[in-house]
Amino acid sequence: MKFRRKPKILRGLASSAVNHASAFAPAIFAATIAVIVVYVATNWRLERSLADERSAVAGELATISSRLQTNLNSNVKLLQGLAAGIAVNPTMDQNTFSKLAAEILQPDSQLRSFAAAPGMVVKWVYPEKGNEKAIGLDYRTNEKQRDSAMLARNTHNIVLAGPVDLIQGGTAFVVRCPVYINDRTSQIFWGLVSGIVDIPRLYQDSGLGSTDLEIAISDVSEPRLAKQVFLGDLETFSKNPVVTSVDMTYGRWTLVAVPKDGWGQKSGMATFELYACLLSLCVVAPIVWVGFLTKSRQRTIEKLRLHKKKLVRARQRLEYLSLHDSLTGLPNRRFIDRMISQSPSPGSENCLILIHIDLDRFKEINDTKGHAGGDIVLQAAASRLVNLAGPNDVAARIGGDEFIFASWSAHPAPRATELAHQIVDTLKQPVFVDGSECVVGASVGVAWETERAQRNPSQLRLNADLALYEAKKTGRGRAAVFTEELRSAAIHTKELAAEFNHALDRDELVAFFQPQFHAETLDIAGVETLARWDHPQKGLLAPDKFLAVAENLGRSGDMDRLILQKALFELARWDSLGMRIPRVSVNISARRLAQANLLAELSKLPMAKGRLCFELLETISFDDLQPVLNEIIPAVKELGIEIEIDDFGTGHASIVSLLRFEPRRLKIDREIINPIVTSPSQRRLVSSIIEIGRSQNIDIVAEGVETMKHAKILRELGCHLLQGYALARPMSSKQLIEFCRTKDKQLKEVG
Ligand code: C2E
Ligand code: CA
Ligand code: CA
């Protein structure tokens, strides 16, 4: 089942949000709790202190109100005393009134003055001084005082009025007490007695002057107008004041009070909050700090994770690069080596097949079309191999123009042969380079496991290499399968190679000599030196057993030098014996010819001019080596050494390029000579070669003269020199000495 995953960026955001939340969750929680605690505590404390404050204010206000009440009542009592005095003696005069009033008016009361108004008109005042203006005041006509005066008269009750603007100046509370005179049947209204209450003094005595409270007093319970408030401001009533009242039989005052600075100013609130906040901070800050630490740790971890991811990716990329060929994108040698050595394979019952592929003409294309052309060829080959590869196959480029194709199969033999042919066929198809067709072709070597259990990948690689080597030996565009014989041959070659190195050092190489004869006279014209290896166990070995080994070891040049020395040594010996050997030939390999010190070495050798001949194989690529040979060959000739072209007729060099070197002789190959006895066309070919030689003044040598019939025909065709088993086999110097002594007799016998 497949799960659809969130896009990466969303996943990143989501996880980072979760990280943030998880890092700061304790801090957020603690902060919330702290805020709530501070809030609740503050509120609780606010309420508590407000209640305390209110009760303090209420207490103070109650004191004030009761003192106000007491003071007013005692003033009223004094006035009532005066009224009672008048009721007893309604006809008193000013003096009597003043006496009475003076008795009643006590210094500690707030009453300032009295006035008596029989019939509602002020008649007597006390003290007289300063209050004279009030005498004659008719309450009924004085607008300001009428209402309260009439109220007292009509209700028979004491009325407290004020603050009232007095006729005699100033303002004051006025207490009015109606006076009735009893006759026997009814009460007769006599008039009013008024007491002027000194407001400042009343307030002072009641404690209003020395309070910290903002107090307002009204004679209505809920005043709406400023004039209804006679002490303080109307505003105080709207400040959530503490309310109390002064209840008097003659009226009711409403007192309100708030602290002068307003409620809650004395509570030390700010300090409390500050402490609460500080405390919360002490709790929250470490948690926030821990949150930050956690957060930064998470960030570090995240960074490390990303870094690790990058590293892993980089390593994977490097690993990919180290295991793949950058040009073709195919796996490389390391990859295939590792894969093979790690197999058991896809399908572990299957056997591993390895096909080693080498492009045939890659070097040519690279040389002619340049590296870019070479790259196109390699890429084309790679993609063809990839196309051939099934799910169980891997194609790899292991370097240069070499590829490996690995496959696993339960039936390796047929599968391997099928694959090999497919590979040869597909790589035979032309590749287009710069618009022109190039046929590259490939040789392949095939090897497979015969038994699953005996897996030996490196051996398998070697086997495939050996098969490839074999395929190349037999020509281009071939497939060769590894066999046990190939392996033993390879082992043999390897052993032989090791031995050959020793052979050179231990002087196991010996020179054999095969005489050459004048065709006409059958006199010895010279000898060809032929290398033999006197192998300690295997006996005398001919060059076909060790020449390739010497070549592969790069020691054929050394061998030639050695054989030349021996040849010259023997020639000197023959001369000293008085034998008539006119000339000695040695075979010269391409490697020897190209040796830089060849000329210097040759010039030091003791040799008679015209008695040494170099046989150059026609198969030495004369065309390729032309520049070197152009210099070397004339120099060699200059030293008095003759040049002979060997195995003429088998190579590919153009006759023109050969003749340019002006060789002294051409030696027709024995493959051409052999059939002349039976084939007239072959005879004609030999005849025409002889013709060319004659025209160029070049002697013709025939090798492989196996019968005297050959010798006869060749003599008739005009061949100059003859060499072959019919006349003499290759022999040691000792045998040659013997041969020369008995030559005539022997030749006569065969002839
Ligand atoms: P080659 O130069 O063509 O030498 C002649 C070969 O033909 C010799 O083989 C000789 O034994 C063989 N031969 C002579 N007469 C007849 C005949 O009538 N019938 C047949 N079938 N073969 C005949 P050998 O000695 O085995 O040498 C083989 C080749 O090894 C030589 O071919 C030469 O190319 C090479 N070689 C020999 N010695 C040297 C050497 O010192 N240096 C180099 N570079 N190559 C050498
Ligand atoms: Ca030769
Ligand atoms: Ca030859």
Side-chain angles (χ1 to χ4, degrees):
M1 200 190 330
K2 264 192 178 173
F3 292 97
R4 189 177 282 261
R5 299 198 65 178
K6 276 186 197 171
K8 212 180 207 175
I9 190 157
L10 287 187
R11 267 186 279 137
L13 283 177
S15 86
S16 105
V18 168
N19 287 346
H20 277 287
S22 63
F24 289 110
I28 292 167
F29 182 71
T32 313
I33 295 290
V35 166
I36 291 171
V37 166
V38 169
Y39 178 76
V40 170
T42 310
N43 264 5
W44 176 77
R45 186 166 146 73
L46 202 66
E47 274 168 26
R48 273 282 311 273
S49 81
L50 214 60
D52 288 353
E53 212 178 353
R54 281 189 88 87
S55 75
V57 170
E60 199 176 340
L61 193 63
T63 310
I64 289 169
S65 90
S66 81
R67 280 168 78 178
L68 259 180
Q69 195 164 0
T70 310
N71 287 335
L72 281 170
N73 279 345
S74 61
N75 290 342
V76 167
K77 284 257 160 41
L78 291 178
L79 192 64
Q80 279 175 327
L82 185 62
I86 290 173
V88 173
N89 184 14
T91 53
M92 66 175 64
D93 61 3
Q94 174 69 50
N95 276 341
T96 318
F97 176 75
S98 294
K99 231 185 236 171
L100 181 63
E103 270 170 29
I104 288 171
L105 193 65
Q106 287 172 11
D108 57 346
S109 89
Q110 293 80 32
L111 282 172
R112 204 167 75 192
S113 60
F114 294 122
M120 301 292 262
V121 178
V122 176
K123 189 173 176 192
W124 307 311
V125 291
Y126 178 83
E128 285 172 86
K129 197 169 177 227
N131 294 314
E132 301 90 338
K133 280 187 185 163
I135 293 171
L137 168 70
D138 187 345
Y139 291 134
R140 290 162 303 181
T141 56
N142 183 292
E143 254 184 49
K144 285 181 184 163
Q145 305 201 14
R146 185 176 55 208
D147 288 350
S148 62
M150 292 311 285
L151 186 67
R153 191 190 118 162
N154 296 342
T155 58
H156 294 219
N157 275 333
I158 290 167
V159 169
L160 177 67
V164 174
D165 291 330
L166 300 173
I167 294 265
Q168 58 269 44
T171 54
F173 290 119
V174 180
V175 188
R176 301 190 197 282
C177 183
V179 180
Y180 287 85
I181 299 165
N182 283 327
D183 93 6
R184 267 167 224 136
T185 52
S186 62
Q187 282 193 319
I188 298 161
F189 179 68
W190 175 84
L192 291 177
V193 197
S194 304
I196 305 299
V197 178
D198 187 335
I199 293 177
R201 188 149 172 218
L202 173 71
Y203 288 167
Q204 188 65 41
D205 291 351
S206 305
L208 278 164
S210 58
T211 182
D212 278 342
L213 300 179
E214 174 186 325
I215 294 177
I217 306 174
S218 172
D219 48 5
V220 294
S221 59
E222 282 174 11
R224 302 255 179 270
L225 303 168
K227 66 177 183 188
Q228 292 174 316
V229 177
F230 56 81
L231 173 69
D233 298 321
L234 176 62
E235 217 180 287
T236 312
F237 281 82
S238 55
K239 288 182 178 171
N240 189 21
V242 172
V243 181
T244 190
S245 58
V246 177
D247 285 306
M248 300 158 290
T249 46
Y250 40 84
R252 182 173 214 233
W253 284 358
T254 300
L255 268 76
V256 295
V258 296
K260 264 192 185 137
D261 305 328
W263 293 113
Q265 292 308 310
K266 284 188 193 141
S267 61
M269 213 58 232
T271 325
F272 173 77
E273 276 159 10
L274 189 69
Y275 280 131
C277 285
L278 275 177
L279 197 70
S280 313
L281 206 65
C282 289
V283 175
V284 173
I287 300 176
V288 170
W289 179 237
V290 168
F292 266 115
L293 288 182
T294 315
K295 183 80 200 59
S296 90
R297 195 170 153 261
Q298 278 172 351
R299 246 189 244 136
T300 314
I301 290 172
E302 178 70 7
K303 258 190 214 159
L304 277 176
R305 208 170 56 80
L306 280 178
H307 188 63
K308 215 167 141 192
K309 230 183 191 174
K310 266 191 208 159
L311 273 182
V312 167
R313 245 183 258 141
R315 215 181 52 207
Q316 283 170 344
R317 177 88 195 118
L318 271 182
E319 196 153 294
Y320 179 87
L321 287 178
S322 77
L323 293 174
H324 288 81
D325 167 43
S326 57
L327 176 67
T328 61
L330 289 186
N332 62 12
R333 182 188 288 275
R334 281 189 62 210
F335 182 100
I336 202 94
D337 284 349
R338 192 187 285 188
M339 191 193 69
I340 291 170
S341 64
Q342 280 170 0
S343 79
S345 56
S348 53
E349 286 313 306
N350 292 340
C351 292
L352 176 60
I353 300 167
L354 284 186
I355 300 176
H356 192 167
I357 303 155
D358 187 282
L359 300 186
D360 287 332
R361 268 173 288 266
F362 177 72
K363 196 181 167 306
E364 283 168 38
I365 292 174
N366 220 17
D367 289 348
T368 53
K369 300 282 181 185
H371 284 295
D375 286 355
I376 292 172
V377 167
L378 290 173
Q379 282 164 338
S383 82
R384 286 173 194 185
L385 291 176
V386 167
N387 286 343
L388 270 186
N392 275 358
D393 309 329
V394 178
R397 179 181 174 214
I398 57 168
D401 58 347
E402 287 183 58
F403 296 84
I404 285 254
F405 196 98
S407 183
W408 284 265
S409 171
H411 308 288
R415 174 69 180 144
T417 356
E418 182 198 9
L419 272 174
H421 288 129
Q422 284 176 341
I423 290 169
V424 168
D425 282 349
T426 189
L427 296 180
K428 222 191 295 185
Q429 304 309 312
V431 180
F432 284 88
V433 180
D434 296 342
S436 63
E437 262 189 21
C438 297
V439 177
V440 192
S443 303
V444 306
V446 187
W448 61 83
E449 291 171 329
T450 43
E451 264 181 272
R452 249 312 266 117
Q454 293 174 344
R455 172 149 292 168
N456 187 345
S458 53
Q459 184 59 54
L460 202 60
R461 273 291 303 273
L462 284 177
N463 294 352
D465 288 357
L466 275 178
L468 175 63
Y469 185 71
E470 184 65 19
K472 292 190 132 201
K473 230 164 53 179
T474 50
R476 289 170 166 181
R478 305 271 177 100
V481 172
F482 169 79
T483 58
E484 276 309 318
E485 289 71 47
L486 278 185
R487 192 213 302 277
S488 29
I491 291 170
H492 179 74
T493 308
K494 209 174 152 198
E495 286 169 358
L496 211 66
E499 289 169 357
F500 184 79
N501 266 328
H502 291 302
L504 281 176
D505 304 336
R506 293 181 198 146
D507 199 21
E508 287 173 5
L509 290 188
V510 282
F512 264 46
F513 304 95
Q514 186 177 29
Q516 296 170 336
F517 302 88
H518 288 290
E520 286 296 333
T521 60
L522 293 184
D523 287 336
I524 292 179
V527 293
E528 177 183 2
T529 316
L530 294 162
R532 295 289 180 268
W533 179 4
D534 192 7
H535 192 280
Q537 283 90 41
K538 294 173 185 154
L540 214 55
L541 300 178
D544 62 320
K545 296 282 187 297
F546 60 86
L547 215 57
V549 170
E551 189 66 33
N552 286 340
L553 285 172
R555 299 207 67 178
S556 51
D558 297 338
M559 184 180 77
D560 288 353
R561 185 194 300 119
L562 209 81
I563 296 294
L564 172 62
Q565 282 168 1
K566 288 180 190 285
L568 290 177
F569 176 81
E570 294 301 333
L571 183 65
R573 194 152 79 117
W574 300 327
D575 284 352
S576 69
L577 289 174
M579 286 163 62
R580 280 174 294 125
I581 306 287
R583 184 178 63 242
V584 65
S585 308
V586 292
N587 293 284
I588 282 286
S589 64
R591 203 178 284 275
R592 174 66 174 151
L593 258 194
Q595 272 179 349
N597 54 355
L598 174 73
L599 289 173
E601 277 181 33
L602 291 178
S603 58
K604 284 181 206 145
L605 291 176
M607 53 191 167
K609 277 208 166 196
R611 295 190 66 201
L612 179 62
C613 172
F614 280 0
E615 288 189 18
L616 305 186
L617 283 186
E618 197 221 54
T619 46
I620 289 178
S621 186
F622 278 90
D623 294 334
D624 286 356
L625 283 174
Q626 192 104 24
V628 185
L629 299 184
N630 280 345
E631 281 183 34
I632 301 278
I633 290 179
V636 167
K637 279 192 194 165
E638 199 60 30
L639 290 170
I641 298 168
E642 292 177 342
I643 297 293
E644 184 174 324
I645 303 298
D646 200 358
D647 292 354
F648 186 75
T650 53
H652 308 280
S654 69
I655 192 153
V656 179
S657 71
L658 287 180
L659 296 180
R660 194 170 24 208
F661 294 119
E662 297 172 348
R664 182 69 194 82
R665 277 175 291 274
L666 285 182
K667 191 195 269 190
I668 304 173
D669 191 71
R670 57 182 174 275
E671 296 296 323
I672 295 172
I673 298 300
N674 191 270
I676 56 167
V677 182
T678 49
S679 163
S681 67
Q682 209 70 11
R683 271 202 297 274
R684 275 199 297 280
L685 173 63
V686 172
S687 172
S688 59
I689 294 173
I690 292 167
E691 220 25 68
I692 293 169
R694 205 190 299 280
S695 72
Q696 301 286 320
N697 201 22
I698 295 172
D699 285 354
I700 304 299
V701 187
E703 69 172 6
V705 181
E706 291 191 348
T707 62
M708 288 315 282
K709 205 167 179 192
H710 281 92
K712 187 169 170 274
I713 294 168
L714 289 163
R715 184 169 49 231
E716 283 165 7
L717 287 175
C719 189
H720 301 97
L721 297 166
L722 304 177
Q723 179 182 356
Y725 293 167
L727 303 169
R729 287 188 171 251
M731 57 192 82
S732 67
S733 175
K734 200 175 152 203
Q735 287 168 328
L736 181 72
I737 295 166
E738 185 60 28
F739 177 82
C740 286
R741 215 176 327 128
T742 57
K743 175 184 87 74
D744 291 340
K745 197 174 128 205
Q746 277 178 20
L747 282 180
K748 240 173 255 160
E749 276 169 19
V750 287

